Structures are given as structure tokens and as C-alpha cells.
Amino acid sequence: MDIMLLLTSTVTLTGGIPLTLLLTFASLLAGFVLAVPLAFMRASPRKWLSLPVLAYTYVFRGTPLLVQLFIIYYGLGQVGAIRSSVLWVLLRDPFWCCLLAFSLNGAAYTTEIFRGGIQAVATGMIEAAQAVGMSPLQIKRRIIFPIAFRSVLPSYANEVISLVKATSLASTVTLLEITGLSRKLVSETFAPYEIFIAAGVLYLGLTFLLTGFFNVLEARLNAAPQARTHPRRVILRQVPHEQ
Amino acid sequence: MRAAKALSYPAFGVGEPAAEPGIRAERIEKRLGGNDVLRGVELIVRPGEILSILGSSGSGKSTLLRCLNLLTIPDRGDIWVHGEKLAIRAASQHGGPAGILDHRQVRRVRASMGMVFQNFNLWPHKTALENVTEGPVLVKGIRRGAAAELGRHYLAKVGLSDKADAYPRHLSGGQQQRVAIARALAMEPQVLLFDEPTSALDPELVGEVLRVMAALAGEGRTMVIVTHELAFAREVSTRAAFMHGGLIEEESPPQEFFSSPVSGRLRGFLASHR
């Protein structure tokens, strides 16, 4: 192995970090915003609210993210109605296609994570809020979601870390994030060993930072709340995103 | 936004000067899990009255209490709170559940009735003070600063001034229940409902909660207390009721209730709890 090449390519590949982070955080944000209301719908006892959401999460969790990305990037362009619509301005751009795929996919996983947390909130907490006269929206916003979020934080952290790694799929639709840049570099230097190891090191670094962030967040939120006997740590786990 | 919320929360009896104060429940029926828990209960709570409801477990006393602020919606029957009839839809003959027709009315009525639960039900992600101020801020639209002052006042009242910033899991059961009482008081309710407030406590913690409740009783508040603490009920109540099989079997002032009970069942109940 050429150590010098490994080091120089690590430096070169850092140029892909901004795009990787942009894809991660933008789809994280969009996924979160989508997932909160969807999780409440999914947790609802009313079938007409929960079933459509179940269908959505079932489809997005049951098919590979790569296939979803290809359908959006290659597939949607074949639909005349989309080509002639305003949407085409965004959908012909691989960045927006990735963002859409990652957001929808991430939202599906996040919805199911939050749904579990919401359903685990003790009825007594909700009754206490009803008894002081809070409205259903106030109860969701001030009582149910904060309690649920704390209890699912370790699972949510895993989802975020999966998403960082899932952004490598953007390289398949020409984006030059860390993995895309690596492939470009490999085709120029014919040194896949060093370059992909360098890419792996960068992902590991990002994951390390995020894991640390979530551990701190969890410790801060739980310094107070949430009856729990032993702290749960965020762990690296097998990617739930099919690839 | 806060102001709008405050406006939607008028005081009770506005525009109804002749309204009957207190609570009246008529012919309350409730079926839960295949059992007729309440079978046409009649109950009146007059202002300033301290009513203890006693009875074996399964007699329906907690369910009756929960019906008063509609945490449990009765299948049939009517409830008036301060002369205002609660708009509820009776359960249908075919098993359709009972429902609330006017949610704003119910929220208003609930805000006027403080409730203390058997398991405290403090919100774990909020400090003692935040537990107390949450209702005044969100429901009554009181500013945070003023609410904090109000909250500290009521925490002091239950003897927990020094625990304002503690989270529930760092408090003992007795302290948690006193925070829960402060939370109910901070809404400045017209009626306080207690659902077996000491049943989940270790025996050595029962006293501190009962002392707080006795102090409240001494202020002439209207209280409805479902309890197993006979000695306490005898001492602080102005009236005691005994429930059996989903009905109130006997009710009377505490002297008569405990010294010369009429029904055989109440005599047996009192004897078995001595």
C-alpha cells in the first residue's frame, strides 16, 4: 500500500465532505419535518389516518434506496407530465433527485421510530395534560413528542448515521460527494485500494463526530428526564437502508 | 396568540348568575371491559364540601370520579358543572362509544377542576416548577414570569420550595404527589378531584400527602376524594359516600357514616378496614 497516496487522496477527498454533509442534513431536516406529523398519523387509532402512512413506510422500507433513487432519477424523466411541469427544473438535477429519495426514505424510517416512541408514552402523562385542560395539539407538542423523542433518541441517532452512509449512493447519479469523488480519483489513478480506504476513513470520521454529538445530546436531555436505569449508548449498527 | 387563548377561557358562570354551583351527576352509567362499572349513579357536590368516596376496588369509585371531568365519558347520564350541562353523546345501543360533543367546553371545565392521580403522572421531562406552570401558561395564557411566581407560591404551599428545579425522577413518591397537588392548585380550580392519591405511596410517605390535603380542606375548598384512608376521610370530610356495585349505597356526614352505618355492606366494609 502506498501510504503517501493514501494521505494525499484523503486530503483530496475532503473536498467531497461538504456535499455529503449537505445531502445528509438537508434530507435529515426534510425527513424530520415529514416524519413528525406522519408518526402521529401512524400512531392514531383511526384507520383512515394510520393506513395510508403504513402503506408509505412499508413501500419505502421494503424497497432498496438505490432502486428508489433510480426510479426518481431515471424513471421520472420518462413521464411526460413531469417533464413538462415546473417540477422538472428540480428533478432533472441529480442533487434534487438524491435529496428527494433520501428524504422520503429517511422519513419512512424516522416515522416508524417516532411512532414507537409516541405509542410508548404512558396514558397517565396524557391524562394529566387533559386534566389541566390542554388541547390535543398542545398535548402532542408539549408532552407526547418531547417524551417520545427522548425515548427513541438512540434509534434516531442510528438512523442519522445510516443516512450519512446512504448518501454514498449519490455517486451513482454523478454527484461528486465523498464516494463520487473517490470513483473519479480511482479512474484517474487506478489505485482503488488506497483511495477507497481514504473514503472509508472519512466516513468513519463523520460517524465518530455524529455519534459523539448524539451521546452528548442524550446525556443532556436525560440528565434530567426519562426514567431509565442505565444509559443507552448510540452504537454503530448494520445499515437499515437497503443498498 | 397567548391573548387569544386567554380570551377563550372565560370564568365560570359568566352570563349565568342563577347557575347552580358545584357538580351534579345524574343517572351515570358506564360499561368497561364487559362490566357495568357504573349503574345509574347520582351524585351532588356542593361548593365548600369535602366528599370522600369509599368502597372496595371494583365498586366504580374511580370511574365515577373520572366521569366528573370526562377523562372517562359516561355511556349515559347527565353532568352539570356549575350549572353548565356537559355536552356529551351517549353510547349507542349497538356499541358505538360515548363521545364529547363540545371539546372547548370540556377543556374549560377540566381547567376548572384540578385532578390528582394515583400514580402522580408528573411529566418526566419537566422540572417540578415546569410541571406546575405548564397548565397556567398553555391553558390560561399566563406569562411565563407570572406563572413561575404562581408556581413557586404553590410549591411552597405543599412544602417543596427547595425542589422547584428538581426533575420528578429525583423526587420521592410523596414529593411527586405533592408536586402533582401543586400542579392542580396552580390552575386555581374551583373543585379538586383526588383519585386514590396515597394508594401508590410507601406507608411512610402517606402522611406528608395527607397533611397537605388536610390543610387544603381547612381552606374551605371543594374536594372530592376517592380514598382507602378511612381515618383521614373521617377526619376531614364533610360527607362520605360508600359505593358498591356501581351505585352509591350509603352517604351521610362522617360521624353517622363511620359510627352508625345503616347498610350491612358498609358495616362489613368498615369492619374489614379496621
Side-chain angles (χ1 to χ4, degrees):
Chain A
M1 187 165 70
D2 183 343
I3 297 293
M4 271 317 287
L5 179 59
L6 178 66
L7 290 177
T8 51
S9 48
T10 306
V11 173
T12 314
L13 289 182
T14 52
I17 289 180
L19 186 54
T20 292
L21 288 182
L22 179 62
L23 281 169
T24 303
F25 287 112
S27 40
L28 201 60
L29 183 69
F32 185 92
V33 169
L34 271 175
V36 173
L38 288 178
F40 277 105
M41 288 168 67
R42 176 80 174 86
S44 165
R46 297 185 193 119
K47 286 268 182 292
W48 59 272
L49 273 175
S50 70
L51 282 183
V53 181
L54 176 62
Y56 161 70
T57 61
Y58 199 85
V59 167
F60 275 86
R61 298 201 308 165
T63 55
L65 176 55
L66 186 59
V67 170
Q68 293 161 18
L69 179 59
F70 282 173
I71 290 174
I72 290 170
Y73 183 66
Y74 296 114
L76 290 186
Q78 293 193 349
V79 182
I82 289 177
R83 284 189 77 100
S84 54
S85 76
V86 199
L87 282 177
W88 187 239
V89 180
L90 294 181
L91 287 177
R92 68 181 176 197
D93 182 340
F95 173 79
W96 291 101
C97 288
C98 283
L99 205 55
L100 185 64
F102 298 162
S103 302
L104 291 176
N105 186 276
Y109 281 95
T110 310
T111 296
E112 290 298 332
I113 290 171
F114 288 173
R115 191 258 316 172
I118 288 167
Q119 287 179 331
V121 173
T123 45
M125 303 296 120
I126 299 164
E127 287 185 347
Q130 289 173 329
V132 295
M134 286 189 211
S135 71
L137 187 63
Q138 287 172 333
I139 295 173
K140 287 183 180 70
R141 194 165 57 86
R142 304 285 304 187
I143 307 296
I144 299 178
F145 190 73
I147 295 175
F149 184 73
R150 282 166 171 80
S151 70
V152 301
L153 193 54
S155 319
Y156 183 62
N158 279 323
E159 165 58 21
V160 172
I161 288 163
S162 305
L163 191 60
V164 176
K165 294 177 288 187
T167 57
S168 65
L169 296 181
S171 66
T172 61
V173 293
T174 74
L175 288 189
L176 293 178
E177 38 65 73
I178 296 175
T179 307
L181 212 52
S182 314
R183 291 172 61 173
K184 183 161 169 272
L185 225 53
V186 168
S187 67
E188 289 164 1
T189 61
F190 306 106
Y193 189 46
E194 287 82 357
I195 289 169
F196 283 130
I197 285 180
V201 166
L202 288 182
Y203 282 111
L204 201 59
L206 291 179
T207 306
F208 178 78
L209 291 177
L210 277 172
T211 309
F213 168 77
F214 275 104
N215 282 333
V216 170
L217 181 66
E218 199 184 343
R220 288 191 65 138
L221 287 178
N222 287 348
Q226 195 63 29
R228 186 178 293 155
T229 45
H230 54 90
R232 279 188 285 167
R233 310 237 93 192
V234 178
I235 46 156
L236 291 176
R237 215 176 46 180
Q238 194 58 45
V239 205
H241 292 279
E242 300 277 328
Q243 309 224 339
Chain B
M1 191 176 162
R2 284 271 142 69
K5 273 179 197 159
L7 285 176
S8 69
Y9 177 77
F12 256 112
V14 168
E16 302 173 45
E20 175 199 34
I23 303 173
R24 172 190 291 272
E26 287 187 353
R27 305 178 313 279
I28 302 298
E29 291 175 31
K30 184 66 188 180
R31 198 174 165 79
L32 285 172
N35 298 312
D36 288 315
V37 182
L38 298 177
R39 301 193 294 176
V41 181
E42 311 276 333
L43 184 78
I44 294 180
V45 184
R46 297 178 198 87
E49 189 169 53
I50 294 155
L51 170 65
S52 291
I53 304 178
L54 309 169
S56 326
S57 54
S59 60
K61 53 195 193 308
S62 280
T63 307
L64 175 60
L65 189 78
R66 291 167 55 86
C67 281
L68 299 183
N69 68 352
L70 295 186
L71 283 184
T72 297
I73 305 166
D75 289 339
R76 257 166 295 283
D78 296 318
I79 299 172
W80 285 263
V81 176
H82 306 293
E84 185 178 10
K85 187 174 172 184
L86 302 187
I88 44 182
R89 184 187 61 235
S92 76
Q93 300 292 343
H94 320 291
I100 291 170
L101 291 174
D102 184 347
H103 288 272
R104 302 191 70 169
Q105 178 197 43
V106 170
R107 290 209 292 277
R108 198 172 67 231
V109 165
R110 282 174 177 164
S112 80
M113 288 199 263
M115 179 129 179
V116 176
F117 298 86
Q118 181 175 350
N119 295 312
F120 331 133
N121 293 349
L122 293 184
W123 300 308
H125 60 301
K126 294 183 183 296
T127 63
L129 183 63
E130 288 165 348
N131 265 278
V132 176
T133 56
E134 194 72 359
V137 169
L138 288 180
V139 179
K140 289 177 138 185
I142 294 177
R143 285 168 182 280
R144 291 214 172 260
E149 211 169 296
L150 186 78
R152 286 182 197 284
H153 169 73
Y154 283 108
L155 281 177
K157 202 176 170 80
V158 299
L160 289 174
S161 298
D162 54 332
K163 298 291 183 189
D165 298 320
Y167 284 90
R169 68 168 182 175
H170 298 307
L171 299 173
S172 73
Q175 291 171 332
Q176 289 192 47
Q177 192 60 299
R178 281 146 67 198
V179 172
I181 292 173
R183 174 171 71 181
L185 290 174
M187 292 298 290
E188 311 204 310
Q190 308 193 359
V191 182
L192 284 169
L193 309 177
F194 293 87
D195 186 7
E196 303 199 23
T198 58
S199 298
L201 293 174
D202 291 337
E204 73 271 21
L205 301 177
V206 169
E208 60 186 84
V209 172
L210 292 184
R211 274 194 294 283
V212 167
M213 290 171 60
L216 296 175
E219 295 175 359
R221 288 172 183 273
T222 312
M223 296 163 66
V224 184
I225 308 168
V226 169
T227 184
H228 290 290
E229 298 287 336
L230 298 196
F232 175 79
R234 179 173 200 157
E235 205 171 304
V236 306
S237 324
T238 56
R239 189 157 58 99
F242 174 67
M243 281 191 76
H244 178 83
L247 288 168
I248 291 179
E249 176 135 330
E250 181 164 344
E251 56 174 304
S252 53
Q255 306 86 320
E256 294 165 40
F257 187 91
F258 290 97
S259 309
S260 46
V262 179
S263 99
R265 283 206 192 88
L266 176 54
R267 276 202 297 275
F269 175 80
L270 293 174
S272 68
H273 283 75
R274 282 258 146 74

